Amino acid sequence: MRSYLDFEKPVAELEAKADELRALDGKGDGYSLAEEIGKLEAKASQALKDLYGALTPWQKTLVARHPQRPHFLDYCSALIDEFTPMAGDRAFGEDEAIVGGFGRFRGEPVCVIGQEKGNSTETRIRHNFGMPKPEGYRKAVRLMELADRFGLPVLSFIDTAGAYPGIEAEERGQAEAIARSTETCLALRTPSVALVIGEGGSGGAIAIAAASKVLMLEHAIYSVISPEGAASILWRDTARAQDAATGMKITAQDLLRFGVIDRIVTEPTGGAHRDPQGTIERAGAAIEAALSEFAGLSADEIVNRRAEKYLAIGRAL
């Protein structure tokens, strides 16, 4: 069943009415309701288009967190052939909040790393709701260093509310692991492309997102802290999360304007959760185009371009 967000209520009502008429039409009493169903579907489609054409930053936050939005493993299974996952950081253990390994993208060997939230109670617990612990980031470092050694491009998919804030994560060096992962991203001598597919939260996101090219889905968000966290700090009131979301400039459109990201990947009307396959296909095309920009560049040129990209952000902002 489709899950609707609060602001989608007008669309939900129209689609529910269309479903009711469709059920009646299927009883075969000789009277066709096709015309009425068509009118309702057209109204619902237009209402959806109007809604998603003028989303507020807070509404985009809700869309980015939609439970039916495609997650990393959906992208991986659709875009990566011969994927071989790698486990463990060779220091402490395995963290399934970050999934990574090697495979082929459009026939070319690549390293793939992504944050997985899970889509059921069982998988969400197993993947820790997409909030990595230090061993997750150290696994990412291990994979990136392997990719660097063999000259493989690195693709990363970002979807996390932030790094896991628990005591055990701090005891095992969460901050150092994030810093080390970010440093490894910046030092890669191979092309790297990051795609924010949902939430890009704080250092938990940038640890694998400091790429040569950073892409974002149209209704994804990317910020130094969640709107709720910012509201709690600024006003001691999480109810003002909407105000925080607006002031923080967390949308793809704002971040493209500031030069923080390089490209927006459009989503189907109604968000990625309405057409996951179409969204994944668009993402694949955008990643392929981003990788093509590095054809013929030397390792030094790749490193220097990445460094200049992030230095330019600092100068501009």
Side-chain angles (χ1 to χ4, degrees):
M1 291 181 62
R2 178 170 291 148
S3 175
Y4 292 92
L5 300 169
D6 287 343
F7 68 86
E8 294 179 315
K9 191 171 292 184
V11 178
E13 292 173 353
L14 288 169
E15 291 186 340
K17 289 178 182 177
D19 288 339
E20 288 176 8
L21 290 182
R22 202 174 288 111
L24 290 173
D25 195 40
K27 291 182 177 180
D29 56 4
Y31 181 73
S32 176
L33 298 172
E35 185 178 349
E36 287 79 3
I37 293 171
K39 289 179 180 178
L40 283 171
E41 288 177 339
K43 285 183 180 179
S45 179
Q46 186 59 48
L48 191 68
K49 185 177 180 180
D50 292 342
L51 275 175
Y52 276 78
L55 292 179
T56 67
W58 177 246
Q59 288 171 334
K60 282 183 177 287
T61 300
L62 298 178
V63 175
R65 295 171 175 172
H66 197 287
Q68 294 174 333
R69 195 173 177 86
H71 295 150
F72 166 63
L73 290 178
D74 299 312
Y75 287 86
C76 189
S77 63
L79 297 177
I80 307 301
D81 298 321
E82 302 176 30
F83 179 65
T84 302
M86 309 289 279
D89 65 345
R90 301 299 186 266
F92 178 81
E94 165 67 345
D95 178 13
E96 293 192 61
I98 288 184
V99 178
F102 297 88
R104 293 185 181 275
F105 174 73
R106 303 290 199 263
E108 298 297 322
V110 294
C111 172
V112 188
I113 302 170
Q115 289 148 336
E116 173 60 36
K117 287 183 172 180
N119 52 22
S120 66
T121 301
E122 180 185 353
T123 56
R124 284 169 186 151
I125 292 172
R126 184 168 76 244
H127 294 290
N128 200 34
F129 299 87
M131 296 187 293
K133 298 176 182 177
E135 46 272 23
Y137 294 113
R138 292 183 176 123
K139 175 172 65 175
V141 168
R142 184 169 73 88
L143 295 178
M144 286 188 281
E145 288 177 343
L146 276 172
D148 198 42
R149 184 181 306 168
F150 293 103
L152 303 180
V154 176
L155 309 181
S156 55
F157 294 78
I158 319 305
D159 191 15
T160 181
Y164 182 64
I167 292 175
E168 65 270 33
E170 297 299 328
E171 290 174 341
R172 295 198 293 273
Q174 183 72 289
E176 186 273 342
I178 290 172
R180 185 76 65 188
S181 184
T182 307
E183 178 188 37
T184 304
C185 283
L186 294 171
L188 281 172
R189 295 172 62 79
T190 61
S192 55
V193 177
L195 173 64
V196 184
I197 59 177
E199 288 186 275
S202 192
I206 202 170
I208 62 171
S212 304
K213 291 288 181 180
V214 181
L215 317 177
M216 275 185 77
L217 290 187
E218 183 180 3
H219 302 310
I221 60 171
Y222 192 20
S223 63
V224 298
I225 191 173
S226 70
E228 293 90 342
S232 177
I233 292 171
L234 293 174
W235 300 294
R236 299 185 184 279
D237 182 5
T238 56
R240 296 191 63 179
Q242 297 186 41
D243 297 328
T246 301
M248 290 164 62
K249 309 300 181 186
I250 63 178
T251 68
Q253 294 72 24
D254 284 325
L255 295 170
L256 182 64
R257 180 161 51 90
F258 293 141
V260 174
I261 66 170
D262 300 289
R263 177 176 172 180
I264 295 174
V265 180
T266 58
E267 298 185 28
T269 302
H273 55 282
R274 286 214 165 223
D275 183 7
Q277 188 56 44
T279 302
I280 292 171
E281 289 174 2
R282 295 182 191 190
I287 292 170
E288 184 176 22
L291 284 175
S292 69
E293 296 183 30
F294 300 97
L297 295 184
S298 68
D300 287 340
E301 287 174 320
I302 290 171
V303 172
N304 291 337
R305 284 196 181 192
R306 189 186 296 116
E308 183 56 37
K309 167 185 169 63
Y310 288 99
L311 288 171
I313 294 173
R315 296 189 190 104
L317 298 180

